[in-house]
Amino acid sequence: GAGVSQSPSNKVTEKGKDVELRCDPISGHTALYWYRQSLGQGLEFLIYFQGNSAPDKSGLPSDRFSAERTGGSVSTLTIQRTQQEDSAVYLCASLRSLGGNTIYFGEGSWLTVV
Amino acid sequence: SQQGEEDPQALSIQEGENATMNCSYKTSINNLQWYRQNSGRGLVHLILIRSNEREKHSGRLRVTLDTSKKSSSLLITASRAADTASYFCATTNDYKLSFGAGTTVTVRA
């Protein structure tokens, strides 16, 4: 697509429920990132994909968080048994290839856990 | 983890004035990028400067990079109300993209 697309744009869920956030990167972009941003804070790295593999998932805050990428394209971030502290904007970004290229961000998915 | 630190944390200026913000980082980089974020949503890419470049311009934006001091600056000239946003620097080392905490700029009409 023309840009990085994320869905849903907004999600309100009850504590303890599972949520899935989707990211459609720019076509042909091999690298994909997930970041989290709490209100008024900077961006917190979660996970990096190169193709379908995730060589760096060091930022996932707990085992309730997982992510996968299929076909070198769409990625899904899953949060199980959501907690209130999971409330944040989850941002996805993609990059054509490593080395000196612009990284493009989606509009984010705003998650509110009540 | 955050590598970059922006300074100042917040900036309030009058429309028409220039806005300058700085970014410092800790490790070696491939390039450094500046982003703008409105209302806590998606980040808009502003400019990329490579590690072997010292200055870059794009419209009303001027970015400098000093790798010896591990710092960069973003200058917005002739600011407008629409420039009100948070600005982030991001450094790239191999695949790692690390962000600072951002500078919140308010442009008063």
Side-chain angles (χ1 to χ4, degrees):
Chain A
V4 179
S5 177
Q6 290 189 245
S7 62
S9 180
N10 291 284
K11 175 74 176 178
V12 179
T13 190
E14 290 181 353
K15 178 180 171 181
K17 294 279 178 70
D18 298 350
V19 296
E20 283 189 355
L21 308 176
R22 177 187 168 106
C23 173
D24 272 289
I26 294 172
S27 179
H29 281 201
T30 59
L32 185 147
Y33 302 80
W34 282 99
Y35 285 83
R36 178 170 74 172
Q37 186 180 30
S38 300
L39 189 63
Q41 302 296 311
L43 277 74
E44 176 188 3
F45 169 80
L46 297 179
I47 189 169
Y48 158 71
F49 285 93
Q50 181 60 39
N52 289 336
S53 64
D56 188 348
K57 52 180 78 170
S58 62
L60 295 177
S62 74
D63 59 7
R64 296 187 295 104
F65 287 73
S66 62
E68 65 174 13
R69 189 179 185 195
T70 55
S73 181
V74 172
S75 176
T76 303
L77 177 68
T78 301
I79 309 172
Q80 295 178 307
R81 305 180 302 282
T82 52
Q83 303 294 313
Q84 287 185 331
E85 62 262 28
D86 299 335
S87 296
V89 176
Y90 290 81
L91 291 157
C92 177
S94 73
L95 170 66
R96 180 162 57 87
S97 60
L98 295 179
N101 290 299
T102 299
I103 297 171
Y104 295 92
F105 280 81
E107 286 294 302
S109 292
W110 184 275
L111 175 67
T112 303
V113 182
V114 298
Chain B
S1 63
Q2 293 183 351
Q3 146 145 265
E5 290 186 8
E6 281 94 342
D7 167 54
Q9 289 186 332
L11 184 60
S12 180
I13 56 174
Q14 199 72 32
E15 201 165 26
E17 293 180 339
N18 296 342
T20 300
M21 60 210 87
N22 303 296
C23 167
S24 60
Y25 56 93
K26 296 171 186 166
T27 64
S28 63
I29 61 171
N30 300 124
N31 61 61
L32 185 145
Q33 306 184 45
W34 284 91
Y35 288 84
R36 184 184 72 222
Q37 185 180 42
N38 293 87
S39 304
R41 297 309 296 247
L43 275 74
V44 174
H45 181 262
L46 296 176
I47 198 164
L48 179 153
I49 186 165
R50 300 178 196 280
S51 60
N52 61 354
E53 297 176 314
R54 292 296 167 258
E55 187 171 315
K56 210 160 181 183
H57 296 255
S58 177
R60 294 183 296 111
L61 304 179
R62 172 178 168 254
V63 167
T64 62
L65 179 64
D66 187 336
T67 53
S68 66
K69 295 181 180 177
K70 291 187 168 59
S71 68
S72 173
S73 68
L74 171 66
L75 168 68
I76 305 172
T77 60
S79 64
R80 305 167 183 169
D83 295 328
T84 295
S86 293
Y87 292 82
F88 294 87
C89 70
T91 55
T92 308
N93 183 358
D94 190 13
Y95 68 87
K96 196 82 173 186
L97 181 65
S98 302
F99 285 84
T103 294
T104 300
V105 175
T106 302
V107 181
R108 304 185 307 274

